[in-house]
Amino acid sequence: MKSDIILAGVGGQGILSIATILGCAALNDGLHLKQAEVHGMSQRGGDVQSNLRLSSNPIASDLIPLGGADLIVSLEPMEALRYIPYLAPTGWIVTNTVPFVNIPDYPELETIQKELDSAGNVVAFDMEEVAKEVAGPRSSNMVLLGACSLFIDGLKEEDIENGIREIFGRKGEAIVESNLKAFRAGRARAKEITKK
């Protein structure tokens, strides 16, 4: 079993929380794990990218090579587009469709979506809308986690839910339940889209 995942987004969106939950779930399941936070996290609004490698066998490097990512996970469509060269031919992109316009010459959303669609296996929807429906706008990262969880080899749904409980448990049961609702809603939406 092996899953090489690129997590991308903008500072403050909760991308690194996703990496922490997946890492926790993997370690609790006895998997090997390597993670590299490559750049960005020093400022809110700056780009954030993390390589997360999970495997049943030892992992030599924490960086994912070009063409080697099984999954690109992003809360921002242009950030997903930025990492397409890393996507394996059979890999998946799971991204939010709502842009975080943090640069003056941000490309047209239709252009970004067309480029993403050309990559092949793409699940893209408004994760903020889903989050607002079930939990609250700040839980769009958990909607993303739910959506991408369908494509992570070796981690079962309950493993990830236990990771959410472990990471958010100190904040109280209401926060845990809110994040679990968002996770389940994202997973359900991705299932609808892919018929998986």
Side-chain angles (χ1 to χ4, degrees):
M1 165 275 140
K2 171 193 83 71
S3 278
D4 287 342
I5 305 164
I6 291 178
L7 298 151
V10 172
Q13 289 186 309
I15 285 296
L16 298 179
S17 294
I18 293 173
T20 302
I21 291 164
L22 290 175
C24 178
L27 290 174
N28 288 341
D29 208 31
L31 296 174
H32 295 271
L33 160 74
K34 293 265 184 173
Q35 181 182 1
E37 292 162 7
V38 178
H39 52 92
M41 44 178 207
S42 62
Q43 72 180 53
R44 184 172 289 279
D47 65 318
V48 175
Q49 188 257 345
S50 179
N51 287 336
L52 183 63
R53 306 187 81 186
L54 311 173
S55 178
S56 52
N57 298 314
I59 304 164
S61 171
D62 54 359
L63 296 179
I64 299 169
L66 287 171
D70 301 302
L71 184 58
I72 294 174
V73 177
S74 181
L75 260 171
E76 208 291 322
M78 191 177 78
E79 292 301 322
L81 183 62
R82 183 189 309 263
Y83 296 101
I84 283 181
Y86 287 88
L87 191 65
T90 58
W92 282 84
I93 297 170
V94 180
T95 186
N96 188 11
T97 55
V98 178
F100 185 99
V101 180
N102 57 352
I103 56 173
D105 55 349
Y106 193 96
E108 290 292 322
L109 197 51
E110 292 163 4
T111 304
I112 293 172
Q113 194 59 53
K114 189 175 178 182
E115 287 292 322
L116 288 172
D117 289 342
S118 72
N121 300 322
V122 179
V123 172
F125 62 92
D126 185 339
M127 301 197 181
E128 293 171 20
E129 180 185 310
V130 173
K132 286 176 193 170
E133 288 171 9
V134 298
R138 295 198 56 192
S139 59
S140 58
N141 63 331
M142 291 299 105
V143 173
L144 176 63
L145 176 59
C148 77
S149 69
L150 290 177
F151 309 102
I152 302 173
D153 287 340
L155 286 183
K156 297 182 284 301
E157 183 177 359
E158 57 266 24
D159 296 332
I160 300 171
E161 288 194 2
N162 287 335
I164 291 170
R165 288 183 185 95
E166 192 168 328
I167 297 304
F168 291 108
R170 62 183 168 77
K171 293 187 176 186
E173 193 56 34
I175 298 294
V176 170
E177 284 307 312
S178 176
N179 282 299
L180 287 171
K181 275 186 192 174
F183 170 81
R184 291 168 185 154
R187 189 171 170 93
R189 180 66 63 92
K191 279 185 176 181
E192 286 171 23
I193 292 169
T194 62
K195 310 291 188 236
K196 232 179 169 201

